[in-house]
Amino acid sequence: MGPFVWSEGLKPLRAWQQEALDEWRKHGRRAVVEAVTGSGKTEVGIAATLEAVAEGRRVLVVVPSRDLLRQWHERLVAASGALRVGRRGDAHQDSFRHFDVIVSTVQSAVMPAAEKPPAGSLLVADEVHRYGAESFAKVLSASSFDHRLGLTATLERSDDGIGRVLLPFFENVISGCTYQRGYEDGILAPVNVALVPVPFSPRERARYDDLDEVARGERTNLINKFGCRAEPFGSFLQDVQLLAKDDFSGDASVRSARRYLKAFADRRDLLASISGKEEALAAIAPVLEQSSRSLVFAETMSASASAAQTLLQVGIAAAPYTSDLTRNERVALLGSFKRGSITALAAPRVLDEGIDVPEADVAIVLAASRTRRQMIQRMGRVLRPKADGRAAVFVILYAEASSEDPENGAHGTFLEQLTDIAQHLETVEVHSVPAVVKDWLPEVRDNNGQILGEDDQELAEAATISVAQRAATIQRASAHIRTVVASAVRFERCESVDEILRAIVELDPHEADILIRRFGLDGDEPLDNGSIAARLNRTYDEVVQLGDEALGRIQLPGVSSRASDDRSATTHTEPLKGRNEVSVKDPELGQRHVSQPVDHPSRRAGDDSVHVDVEQRPQKPFGTRRIQLPTKASERPRNPESGNTVPIYMECEGGFVPGAVLDTSDWSVVLDYAIVGRRNFEGPDEAALAQLRFYGDSERSRVDGWALWKVKQSGEPIASLRTMPTEVQA
C-alpha cells in the first residue's frame, strides 16, 4: 500500500469510519459499507479516494443526481488542494487525461461514449443500492476497477438487483454504523418518537376497505394459484412485478398481478392523502414555533404544496421543496432554511436521498415510507447532534387500522432499531401531540438568528404557488389523455390519440415510453407505475418523476402547459390563464384545497402577482413567521362551456340529488362538486358509482349510470340522448 496522504481539509475519521476503512482493506478493497444517514459515509469515500490517488490510481465517483455531483465535487476539492477533481454531467465533460478523480452522475457514466478510467482504478458508488437496476449496472465494469467501494444507508431493493448485480461486483458487505453505534459514539442525537393515529372519514374508510379487499384477495391468488413467494414481501413484490411485465395480458396470472399492483398503488396513495392527516398537521403546526427547523415528508408534489400552505396559514414560514423547482429555487430555499428564515420544508422523496439538508430537529411524516431505507434516510435528516443537546423529534402520522398502522406490523424493523436510542417512543392522539411535542422540544433561546426578509417571503410563496400550479398542470394533462383514450376505445375516435402521439414524439424516449405505458396509448391495457418500473428496469420513483416531468412539458391541444423554467428563484409566479384557482391535491384523492388570487392593497394595477404580508413581531431567530397567504377558500366549480354539454342529475339515498354535466361528444361526466378530490369521469357508470359510494351506498360494485343519471331539463334517463344528434345544446 502506498502512503496515505492526509489533508488538513479532511477531519480525522471517527472510530466507526476508520474501522470500516480497515475492514474494506482486509476484504481486498471490495465491499459495500452500510451506515445510517447522518453518520458520515461520505468521509469514508473521500478517505478511500485520497488513498487511491496517493497510490497512483484514478478514481471514478458515481452519484445518482446533479445535487450529489456538486456536493461530492465541493467536498473533494476542500479535502485536498492538490487533488485534481473533475466532473461529468451537469454540463461538464472532464477527462481522466487531466484529472485524478472524476465525479459523475450515473446517467453520464453509462452513456456509450463515456470515457472509461484506466485499468486498476477505484470506483466509489454513492447510494449504491440504486445501481442494481439494469440500466445503471453498466457502470460496474470489472475490467476497469480493481478496487470497489459502495456506500448506502441500507442495502435494499424491491427486485433481485442486490444478489444479481451488486454483491457479485462488490463481493462483501460491511456494517459501518447503526443507530445504536452512532448514538453511543455521540454522532447521532437521541430521539423522541410520536406515533399518531389518524382516523379515516367514512368515505375514505369505505374506499380503503374496497382497495384492501382487492389487494388481499389478489395476493392470496398470486401466492396460492400462481406460485409467487409469500415472504419476504420484497420477494413477493418482485414476483408480482415480473408477472405484470408479461406481454400476454390475457393470462389470468398477468391480470391478477396487474390488479394487485393497481390496488396496492391506489391504496398507498389514498393513505398518503386522507383528510385527517392535513387536519392533524394544522393542529401540530403551532408547536413548531419551538423548533429551529422542521421537515415535513409527503408522498407527492401536490401534497407537499398543500402541507406548505397549511403551515403558512397558521404562521409557520414554510415552503415546498420538490424536484419540480428550478435549481436556483432549490438552492435559494436551502439557503433560507439554513439561515433559519424559512423554518419548515415540505417535500416528497426528493429529500429522502443525497441532498445536503441543513440540520433540523423535527420531522413530520405524512406518508408511510415504502421501505426501511426510506425511513432511515428521513430519520437521518434530524438525528445530527444539537448544539444545546436537545433530542430530535420524529412525528409519524398513520391511518388508523390500516396497512401503515404499527399495530399491523408497519415500520416494525425500523421501530425496533429506534428503541435502543429513543428516550420516548409513544402512541399519541392527535389532540395531545402539541402538548407532548412542546414538552419534548425546549424553546430556542439564541437571539442571533435571521428574521424573515422580503426575499424569503416571496420565495416561500412563489415556491408554494409554483409547485401547486405544476401539480395542476400534470393533473389536467393526465385527465385529458385518459379522456381521449377512453373515447378512442369506446367510439373509435382516434384523431385525438394521434395528436397526443405527435406531441409525445417531442419528448425524451424514456419519458415517451412511460406515458405510452401509463395511459395505454399503444392499445394495451394501461399499467400502474410499479408495473412500468418492473418492465423498464427502473425504480418506482424514477418512473413517477420521469412521467410527471413529461406531463408537465407535453404540449397538448387545449391543455395549458407550465410557464418557462427560466424564471429566477424569487420571481412571482403568474396565475394559470383562464383559471382562478389551483388545486394542490391529487385529483382522485383527499380533500381539495385552493389557492386564489385576491385583491390586495400592495398589488399594482394590472399586476396579478400574489404578495405576502408579514405581520411585524419581535425579532427572534426561529419559529413562527406571521405570513398571510391568500385565503384557501372553496368555490363551486363552473361547468365547462361546450356546445356538447348537458346538465344532468341523479337521486341518491337520503334525499341527496347531486348534479353533473355530460359531454355528449365522448360521454364523459364532470361532477358539480368533487368526490374525494375528483370531478372528471370517463363515463356515466363510473361517475354514478362514485356518487353512490360518496353518499353511503358501498354495497354495489357496478351500476347502470345511463339509467341513473337524468337529463336536468326533461328528467329522462341520459340513455335517451344516445339516439339524438351529437350536437346538443345545454
Side-chain angles (χ1 to χ4, degrees):
M1 181 185 79
F4 175 35
V5 180
W6 198 263
S7 167
E8 293 182 358
L10 184 65
K11 296 179 181 179
L13 293 179
R14 295 164 174 160
W16 85 261
Q17 293 167 334
Q18 187 62 60
E19 291 169 15
L21 201 60
D22 291 341
E23 283 294 310
W24 178 64
R25 295 190 191 108
K26 289 178 184 178
H27 287 95
R29 292 181 172 84
R30 294 186 178 187
V32 172
V33 174
E34 271 189 306
V36 294
T37 303
S39 58
K41 295 185 296 295
T42 303
E43 281 76 9
V44 176
I46 292 173
T49 297
L50 292 173
E51 184 175 295
V53 172
E55 295 176 341
R57 300 178 188 274
R58 293 290 189 265
V59 181
L60 176 64
V61 179
V62 181
V63 297
S65 70
R66 290 180 294 177
D67 288 322
L68 275 173
L69 175 87
R70 292 186 286 270
Q71 291 172 28
W72 267 90
H73 181 263
E74 291 170 0
R75 296 286 296 277
L76 285 166
V77 169
S80 173
L83 197 64
R84 299 180 300 168
V85 186
R87 285 167 284 185
R88 190 175 298 151
D90 198 20
H92 297 277
Q93 288 294 333
D94 294 332
S95 168
F96 282 106
R97 293 191 300 273
H98 308 294
F99 294 93
D100 306 310
V101 182
I102 297 291
V103 184
S104 174
T105 61
V106 67
Q107 294 85 353
S108 297
V110 299
M111 295 293 289
E115 178 193 20
K116 304 297 182 185
S121 297
L122 165 67
L123 172 70
V124 178
D126 195 20
E127 307 295 352
V128 69
H129 53 274
R130 293 280 198 100
Y131 312 137
E134 184 175 335
S135 56
F136 292 158
K138 298 172 185 176
V139 76
L140 309 179
S141 170
S143 62
S144 296
F145 304 110
D146 282 353
H147 296 171
R148 307 159 188 181
L149 174 62
L151 303 171
T152 184
T154 176
L155 195 60
E156 283 185 354
R157 287 183 62 86
S158 60
D159 58 17
D160 61 350
I162 303 296
R164 180 176 54 84
V165 177
L166 298 181
L167 289 182
F169 182 78
F170 290 96
E171 299 180 5
N172 304 284
V173 179
I174 297 170
S175 178
C177 188
T178 61
Y179 282 127
Q180 181 67 22
R181 176 66 185 273
Y183 179 58
E184 291 173 353
D185 289 359
I187 300 169
L188 303 177
V191 63
N192 294 321
V193 182
L195 302 173
V196 184
V198 176
F200 285 103
S201 71
R203 290 185 292 275
E204 290 166 345
R205 179 82 255 177
R207 173 66 172 157
Y208 175 82
D209 289 343
D210 286 346
L211 293 171
D212 193 55
E213 182 178 357
V214 172
R216 290 176 181 274
E218 296 302 341
R219 176 175 166 83
T220 300
N221 289 337
L222 289 162
I223 293 170
N224 296 337
K225 294 183 180 180
F226 305 121
C228 293
R229 290 169 288 180
E231 299 292 343
F233 181 72
S235 297
F236 166 76
L237 200 57
Q238 176 188 335
D239 292 345
V240 175
Q241 289 172 335
L242 288 174
L243 276 177
K245 288 172 64 174
D246 198 317
D247 289 330
F248 184 56
S249 58
D251 187 86
S253 63
V254 177
R255 293 198 304 271
S256 179
R258 292 180 179 177
R259 280 196 297 269
Y260 173 82
L261 289 174
K262 185 177 188 308
F264 182 78
D266 289 347
R267 183 181 65 181
R268 181 186 59 232
D269 291 343
L270 173 63
L271 290 172
S273 61
I274 64 172
S275 56
K277 287 186 178 179
E278 189 166 332
E279 294 166 5
L281 178 61
I284 296 168
V287 80
L288 297 183
E289 181 176 356
Q290 293 181 220
S291 166
S292 60
R293 299 176 191 86
S294 304
L295 296 172
V296 179
F297 293 97
E299 176 69 14
T300 63
M301 178 172 59
S302 56
S304 299
S306 184
Q309 282 190 317
T310 297
L311 295 177
L312 284 164
Q313 287 296 316
V314 297
I316 301 299
Y321 185 94
T322 76
S323 59
D324 175 67
L325 297 171
T326 67
R327 174 185 172 185
N328 287 342
E329 287 171 328
R330 294 198 301 272
V331 170
L333 282 173
L334 287 181
S336 293
F337 190 62
K338 184 175 183 178
R339 292 192 303 272
S341 47
I342 288 178
T343 60
L345 291 180
R349 292 169 295 278
V350 71
L351 283 184
D352 285 342
E353 209 166 80
I355 307 300
D356 188 14
V357 181
E359 177 186 315
D361 56 7
V362 175
I364 300 175
V365 178
L366 298 179
S369 302
R370 292 197 184 93
T371 63
R372 182 170 64 97
R373 181 184 69 249
Q374 189 180 57
M375 189 63 91
I376 287 173
Q377 293 280 4
R378 292 176 171 183
M379 178 59 80
R381 300 305 181 197
V382 298
L383 277 184
R384 298 171 187 170
K386 318 304 173 191
D388 59 0
R390 66 171 57 194
V393 175
F394 210 59
V395 180
I396 304 175
L397 304 179
Y398 63 89
E400 193 172 16
S402 75
S403 59
E404 56 178 24
D405 191 330
E407 290 291 329
N408 294 331
H411 310 302
T413 306
F414 171 73
L415 293 175
E416 288 172 7
Q417 294 183 50
L418 277 185
T419 301
D420 294 330
I421 67 169
Q423 294 178 335
H424 299 90
L425 180 59
E426 302 177 9
T427 299
V428 183
E429 296 298 324
V430 171
H431 62 83
S432 300
V433 173
V436 171
V437 173
K438 186 174 183 178
D439 183 56
W440 287 348
L441 204 64
E443 289 192 37
V444 178
R445 301 189 182 278
D446 181 10
N447 292 318
N448 297 320
Q450 300 288 327
I451 64 170
L452 188 66
E454 183 177 350
D455 288 346
D456 295 311
Q457 300 168 24
E458 294 182 350
L459 177 62
E461 184 189 295
T464 303
I465 295 176
S466 173
V467 172
Q469 289 179 338
R470 171 71 161 176
T473 297
I474 291 171
Q475 292 168 12
R476 287 197 298 275
S478 180
H480 176 78
I481 295 175
R482 285 196 177 95
T483 299
V484 167
V485 171
S487 179
V489 170
R490 295 177 182 176
F491 308 110
E492 298 184 359
R493 297 172 180 167
C494 299
E495 298 82 0
S496 296
V497 174
D498 292 338
E499 290 179 348
I500 292 173
L501 292 174
R502 281 194 291 271
I504 283 179
V505 169
E506 303 298 323
L507 299 172
D508 176 89
H510 298 293
E511 296 174 340
D513 197 8
I514 289 170
L515 292 193
I516 288 170
R517 296 172 187 270
R518 181 183 289 187
F519 298 103
L521 292 168
D522 54 357
D524 287 342
E525 181 182 350
L527 299 178
D528 63 278
N529 289 319
S531 298
I532 297 172
R535 284 186 170 222
L536 301 182
N537 291 310
R538 288 182 173 272
T539 66
Y540 179 93
D541 291 347
E542 289 169 345
V543 168
V544 171
Q545 182 174 344
L546 287 171
D548 286 352
E549 287 176 355
L551 288 170
R553 290 200 317 274
I554 191 170
Q555 300 295 317
L556 299 174
V559 180
S560 59
S561 61
R562 186 189 185 192
S564 171
D565 278 339
D566 294 332
R567 65 191 184 277
S568 67
T570 57
T571 300
H572 290 299
T573 305
E574 296 293 330
L576 294 177
K577 294 180 180 180
R579 294 177 64 88
N580 61 359
E581 55 186 43
V582 178
S583 173
V584 296
K585 275 292 197 180
D586 285 337
E588 298 182 9
L589 300 166
Q591 194 171 354
R592 186 166 173 271
H593 287 267
V594 172
S595 173
Q596 293 182 318
V598 295
D599 291 333
H600 194 280
S602 64
R603 181 179 296 167
R604 297 183 301 273
D607 180 6
D608 288 328
S609 302
V610 182
H611 298 266
V612 184
D613 282 340
V614 180
E615 182 182 334
Q616 295 299 321
R617 298 277 175 175
Q619 292 189 6
K620 55 190 301 185
F622 303 114
T624 305
R625 306 291 185 269
R626 299 298 172 181
I627 299 179
Q628 181 62 48
L629 271 188
T631 304
K632 292 163 63 176
S634 61
E635 175 180 283
R636 176 170 176 159
R638 292 173 296 179
N639 291 334
E641 295 179 2
S642 167
N644 296 326
T645 59
V646 178
I648 60 176
Y649 71 96
M650 65 180 291
E651 298 178 1
C652 299
E653 292 184 10
F656 299 106
V657 185
V661 172
L662 175 70
D663 189 331
T664 58
S665 64
D666 61 2
W667 305 108
S668 62
V669 174
V670 180
L671 304 181
D672 280 359
Y673 293 96
I675 299 298
V676 288
R678 184 179 180 188
R679 292 184 61 212
N680 298 287
F681 292 83
E682 295 176 357
D685 293 345
E686 186 184 21
L689 184 60
Q691 288 284 17
L692 291 172
R693 286 180 172 173
F694 183 84
Y695 289 109
D697 186 352
S698 59
E699 299 298 323
R700 288 187 273 187
S701 60
R702 183 177 300 175
V703 297
D704 182 3
W706 296 94
L708 290 173
W709 288 108
K710 308 292 176 59
V711 178
K712 193 169 185 179
Q713 187 173 10
S714 66
E716 295 181 352
I718 62 172
S720 62
L721 298 177
R722 286 174 163 174
T723 60
M724 298 175 63
T726 302
E727 190 73 15
V728 180
Q729 298 297 325

